[in-house]
Amino acid sequence: MMRGDARSFAPARKERAGDIDRWLTDLLRTACAMPYPRERGDAKGGPLATDERGTTLGVALVAVGSLGRGELAPGSDLDLVLLHNGRDDVARIADRIWYPIWDSGVGLDHSVRTVDEAAKVAREDLKAVLGLIQARHIAGDPELTRAVRETVLADWRADSRRRLAELRDSADKRAEASGELAFLLEPDLRDSRGGLRDVQAMQAVAAAWVASAPGPRVREAYELLLDIRHGLHLVTARGTDRLVLQEQDAVAGTLGLLDAEALMRRLAEAGRTISHAFDSTWRTVDRLLSGPVPRGRRPLADGVVEHGGEVVLARGVNPRKDPVLVLRAAAAAAEAGLPLAPATVTMLANQSPPMPVPWPDEARDALVALLGAGRAAVPVWEELDQAGVLVRLLPDWERVRHRPQRNPVHRYTVDRHLIETAAGAAAYTREVSRPDLLLISALLHDIGKGWPGDHSSTGEVVARDIGAHIGLPPADVEILATVVRHHLLLPETATRRDLDDPVTISRVAEAVGTREVLELLAALAVADGHATGPAAWNSWKASLVSDLVRRVRSVLSGTPLPPAPSLSPEQAALARHGGGAVRVNGGAVTVVAPDRPGLLWRAAGVLAAHRLVVRSAQAASAGSTAVIEFSVVPEYGTPPDPAMLESDLRLVLAGRLDIEQRLARRTRSMRPPRVPVAPPRVTVLEDASETATVVEVRAHDRPGLLWRIGRAFGECGLDVQAARVETLGAEAVDVFYVVDRAGRLLADEDQRNQVRNQVLAALR
């Protein structure tokens, strides 16, 4: 609960506003009742007329700002407008009101205007119009107040395109200057992104009839910020909005909270709630400013489509029957660079059944795909967090959610730091052999900060539990736990130990164990440093870590590549029959055919043309017969007709189907990706096999990827003897055993470079 048991000062603010209103009413009545000496030509001097109820006519006192909204904190100034109908002696009336306020020591921002003058100023000044939109009548002639509000609101709505663009620009500049409230060590409660002024901006958007007014969660967050500001004014005895470090414990005490950490955790949640709603509001505004969006629905994943610039569920999809749908939709949104529609998030949060434990492979793949989208994953992750989805998927996440890091080196709360690190790690997925474990360990590396004790040690324990929870195999759970346990090992050793001392290197090598873990730790160190803040990572530290990694790698033996795939007894039996055979059994597709160049990639092309995604594949041969086993899933919708798929595979084996032309048509119809991904990496390993040259390809998966790689091999005059293809989340890690047309290894350096460049060109 955002507020929890924090004390509310709302009754005190309401009482103070009432007292101020009565005082100002008396001041206006006294000022208007006093006779003024007439001057030559002054036709409107003397006491003002009143109606039958004693209401003063021709003059009105109007509150704007915090008094107008009824949010007056102990140190707040008064923002007042004296409206009049053109009286010549209004300056004297104003003086009779302003001087007693100044004498009381209360700060005052004041103006004197006719209705037309106020409307003119509002049309030209953003601050003025925002105040008058929420103006509140205090005393005097209510018709003047009504007239100015109606005029200002009508102008605001009529010119909403220009004024809302101006409001957005002002909010962005304010956020750039003041930072993001949820993640600042000493936040500005009013001007930071996620602060009080963002809610007031959303209220102004609602007044333009462009978007809905802030909902109950935003109003709760707003009230909490008002209470924190109220407590801050009580502690400091002045009207300040910056919650500095040394005041936080005292402010927490005024709210009845245990300590500053409890206060800042609630503040972070409130700020993120407001910031999230603010972004959603401006997406609505942007649609107004940019005009109508393209019609139609574009499939993104199974049960997920793009509609109107947002990600929604396909027609007829029932979230109650598909626990993985929420992660699949989130991954699709991140990979497309689009927001999840608010109604879709609400539906998924309310209707998704519990995820089976351990998670099915599809759920874990969707999580990895989401994280692998990089920066685009962060807003989608925030959507899931705001809807309460994350803590249901990963119960241990609750311990780090909104947890502040009271350290100037860190610029984010613990949970936001974790997703920022994972997003940053996506850029290094080509540097490691297990991109899925890199992304998951980046997400969990500081998970131990939710428990007492050394967070690396406690994090290892929690990471084991979460690894098993999400269905990782035991060997992968061990790697994950090791990486979390030692995620600070490289930067701390590099900056605090003598790298020329052999003992230093041997101890790191002993802790790391394998080159695979070392490369995971090296990539994580960079992503963690960048996500922490500018003070945590620089070129000096990067060079030291790189030097340490180089030295440790030299004493570690890498895990050798697994041997080239060989035929199982069942596959060997199929191969002995020779000829051609195609079997489609659910997601398993088996192709048996006389071995010839291009067989693998042509078969993969047929699968891509039928909108099937290859999750894994193995190719091997016995004599003159090749056997290829594919594990496939449909991109979206129902799987293709097995009979039609078999027919096309047989046609391509017989050389009677131009699969390249069909795929080219499909490629032209696809939209270019909106989210940048790490560039592909192709490595030619000379000594990994005695019978073939091994080519390792790491790339972001996309339809037809295997076909593109295989076609590039064909253009280089190579034959694929064997292959092991695997997709981890959205990252393809493929290994091919290739020879030239004469069956020889690629011994020439120029030839190896040609292969590398040809495959890279095919992937771009």
Side-chain angles (χ1 to χ4, degrees):
M1 190 71 178
M2 189 187 312
R3 169 172 289 280
D5 53 357
R7 177 185 176 186
S8 172
F9 288 109
R13 288 193 293 274
K14 182 178 180 181
E15 181 180 356
R16 182 161 188 252
D19 291 342
I20 294 291
D21 284 0
R22 286 186 288 273
W23 178 42
L24 294 175
T25 300
D26 289 343
L27 288 177
L28 179 64
R29 184 181 299 115
T30 302
C32 293
M34 287 183 177
Y36 297 100
R38 293 179 180 271
E39 295 181 0
R40 187 178 303 171
D42 184 359
K44 294 187 178 181
L48 274 71
T50 60
D51 63 12
E52 64 276 6
R53 292 174 297 179
T55 301
T56 302
L57 302 178
V59 175
L61 193 59
V62 178
V64 296
S66 57
L67 179 60
R69 295 185 298 270
E71 301 165 358
L72 209 60
S76 297
D77 294 341
L78 302 184
D79 296 304
L80 299 172
V81 179
L82 183 63
L83 293 174
H84 65 98
N85 61 356
R87 288 187 60 90
D88 296 331
D89 60 347
V90 71
R92 298 192 186 97
I93 298 174
D95 287 345
R96 298 276 185 173
I97 300 171
W98 307 151
Y99 275 99
I101 297 175
W102 287 325
D103 290 343
S104 73
V106 176
L108 175 65
D109 186 1
H110 61 88
S111 61
V112 180
R113 309 256 193 260
T114 64
V115 170
D116 289 342
E117 289 170 346
K120 181 181 179 182
V121 171
R123 284 190 287 269
E124 299 170 353
D125 185 276
L126 183 64
K127 181 181 177 182
V129 72
L130 294 179
L132 288 170
I133 282 174
Q134 297 181 315
R136 184 169 62 86
H137 181 75
I138 298 292
D141 191 342
E143 286 302 309
L144 291 177
T145 305
R146 180 191 59 77
V148 78
R149 286 203 64 194
E150 289 182 354
T151 302
V152 168
L153 276 170
D155 289 346
W156 177 251
R157 289 162 184 159
D159 198 18
S160 60
R161 283 181 177 271
R162 180 180 70 86
R163 301 313 300 270
L164 291 180
E166 184 183 358
L167 178 60
R168 175 65 179 271
D169 183 60
S170 171
D172 288 345
K173 289 179 179 177
R174 175 167 42 79
E176 184 178 355
S178 301
E180 198 160 354
L181 181 140
F183 310 124
L184 291 169
L185 197 62
E186 296 184 333
D188 186 314
L189 300 173
R190 184 184 66 173
D191 289 339
S192 296
R193 172 54 47 85
L196 295 168
R197 280 197 169 169
D198 277 354
V199 179
Q200 293 154 16
M202 286 188 278
Q203 292 167 340
V205 173
W209 293 343
V210 172
S212 301
R217 271 187 58 79
V218 175
R219 292 196 295 271
E220 180 188 3
Y222 186 65
E223 284 295 321
L224 179 61
L225 293 190
L226 290 175
D227 288 336
I228 294 173
R229 185 178 68 165
H230 195 115
L232 179 61
H233 287 194
L234 292 176
V235 168
T236 61
R238 56 192 175 90
T240 180
D241 293 308
R242 185 168 294 281
L243 183 58
V244 298
L245 201 62
Q246 60 265 32
E247 310 289 2
Q248 290 172 8
D249 276 312
V251 173
T254 66
L255 294 169
L257 299 176
L258 179 63
D259 54 21
E261 181 163 326
L263 170 71
M264 298 307 288
R265 191 168 188 179
R266 285 169 170 79
L267 182 63
E269 183 173 4
R272 288 168 80 170
T273 299
I274 292 170
S275 183
H276 172 263
F278 183 84
D279 291 340
S280 179
T281 296
W282 284 105
R283 284 201 298 271
T284 303
V285 174
D286 288 341
R287 284 197 291 272
L288 168 73
L289 299 178
S290 60
V293 297
R295 293 185 175 183
R297 292 173 171 243
R298 178 172 69 101
L300 297 176
D302 188 21
V304 183
V305 299
E306 175 191 352
H307 176 65
E310 295 179 321
V311 174
V312 301
L313 300 184
R315 293 187 179 96
V317 171
N318 186 355
R320 291 186 172 90
K321 297 181 178 180
D322 187 355
V324 182
L325 180 60
V326 61
L327 282 175
R328 196 163 61 246
E335 291 184 310
L338 295 170
L340 285 163
T344 298
V345 177
T346 301
M347 181 185 296
L348 289 169
N350 294 337
Q351 298 183 17
S352 294
M355 185 74 74
V357 178
W359 286 12
D361 291 347
E362 184 191 356
R364 191 172 60 257
D365 285 343
L367 173 65
V368 172
L370 167 60
L371 301 177
R375 291 295 314 158
V378 177
V380 177
W381 191 265
E382 283 287 316
E383 290 277 2
L384 299 182
D385 178 75
Q386 289 294 320
V389 171
L390 293 183
V391 293
R392 292 205 295 272
L393 291 173
L394 299 170
D396 289 312
W397 195 257
E398 179 64 39
R399 298 293 293 265
V400 295
R401 188 169 182 255
H402 306 307
R403 183 172 291 278
Q405 306 203 68
R406 297 171 60 76
N407 184 326
V409 172
H410 280 276
R411 57 182 168 184
Y412 295 119
T413 55
V414 176
D415 60 331
R416 181 59 178 264
H417 170 72
L418 291 175
I419 184 59
E420 289 282 347
T421 303
Y428 302 99
T429 50
R430 306 293 175 267
E431 310 297 321
V432 299
S433 59
R434 289 298 302 272
D436 55 336
L437 292 183
L438 171 62
L439 295 169
I440 294 172
S441 60
L443 183 68
L444 301 179
H445 73 280
D446 275 350
I447 196 73
K449 288 185 175 179
W451 281 259
D454 175 60
H455 78 278
S456 296
S457 300
T458 56
E460 177 186 7
V461 176
V462 180
R464 288 183 191 277
D465 291 342
I466 295 178
H469 181 88
I470 65 176
L472 286 174
D476 289 353
V477 171
E478 287 303 313
I479 295 174
L480 174 64
T482 300
V483 173
V484 171
R485 174 70 180 87
H486 295 298
H487 72 273
L488 295 176
L489 177 65
L490 297 183
E492 287 187 348
T493 302
T495 56
R496 301 178 186 178
R497 297 290 183 270
D498 180 8
L499 300 189
D500 291 324
D501 185 349
V503 175
T504 299
I505 305 304
S506 63
R507 285 181 176 174
V508 173
E510 182 180 357
V512 170
T514 66
R515 285 190 180 183
E516 289 69 29
V517 171
L518 178 65
E519 64 186 18
L520 288 171
L521 288 172
L524 177 56
V526 180
D528 186 18
H530 284 302
T532 299
W537 193 257
N538 51 44
S539 58
W540 169 76
K541 182 178 284 189
S543 64
L544 290 177
V545 170
S546 179
D547 186 25
L548 174 60
V549 170
R550 179 182 57 80
R551 293 169 185 254
V552 174
R553 184 186 290 117
S554 67
V555 301
L556 287 175
S557 59
T559 303
L561 281 173
S566 57
L567 297 182
S568 66
E570 183 181 352
Q571 292 171 335
L574 288 172
R576 281 195 294 272
H577 288 84
V582 176
R583 292 183 180 179
V584 179
N585 183 14
V589 177
T590 304
V591 176
V592 182
D595 196 7
R596 64 178 184 272
L599 177 63
L600 172 65
W601 63 267
R602 286 189 173 89
V606 173
L607 299 177
H610 282 265
R611 301 186 185 278
L612 289 172
V613 177
V614 177
R615 301 301 299 175
S616 64
Q618 287 199 10
S621 59
S624 61
T625 304
V627 179
I628 309 173
E629 293 272 6
F630 294 99
S631 175
V632 298
V633 294
E635 285 183 46
Y636 49 81
T638 57
D641 179 19
M644 187 174 295
L645 177 61
E646 283 191 24
S647 174
D648 280 355
L649 283 168
R650 294 180 189 280
L651 287 173
V652 81
L653 293 179
R656 292 188 287 132
L657 177 64
D658 187 354
I659 194 63
E660 185 167 349
Q661 188 177 27
R662 186 185 295 186
L663 282 173
R665 286 198 303 269
R666 188 185 173 201
T667 300
R668 286 193 297 270
S669 68
M670 294 173 61
R671 297 186 188 180
R674 302 185 188 185
V675 176
V677 296
R681 180 173 177 177
V682 178
T683 306
V684 181
L685 306 173
E686 302 176 42
D687 304 323
S689 171
E690 296 180 355
T691 59
T693 299
V694 177
V695 180
E696 185 179 77
V697 179
R698 299 176 184 176
H700 192 77
D701 194 27
R702 56 176 172 160
L705 178 73
L706 184 55
W707 174 75
R708 289 183 177 87
I709 296 171
R711 188 180 62 170
F713 287 147
E715 291 171 350
C716 293
L718 301 181
D719 182 21
V720 178
Q721 281 194 336
R724 180 177 286 103
V725 174
E726 189 171 16
T727 304
L728 305 171
E731 304 302 316
V733 181
D734 302 343
V735 179
F736 303 91
Y737 293 76
V738 300
V739 293
D740 63 15
R741 291 284 191 257
R744 297 171 302 198
L745 282 70
L746 308 184
D748 183 65
E749 180 66 24
D750 291 339
Q751 190 180 16
R752 291 195 293 268
N753 287 334
Q754 179 197 4
V755 171
R756 184 184 299 108
N757 294 334
Q758 194 78 20
V759 174
L760 284 173
L763 297 178
R764 292 194 176 104

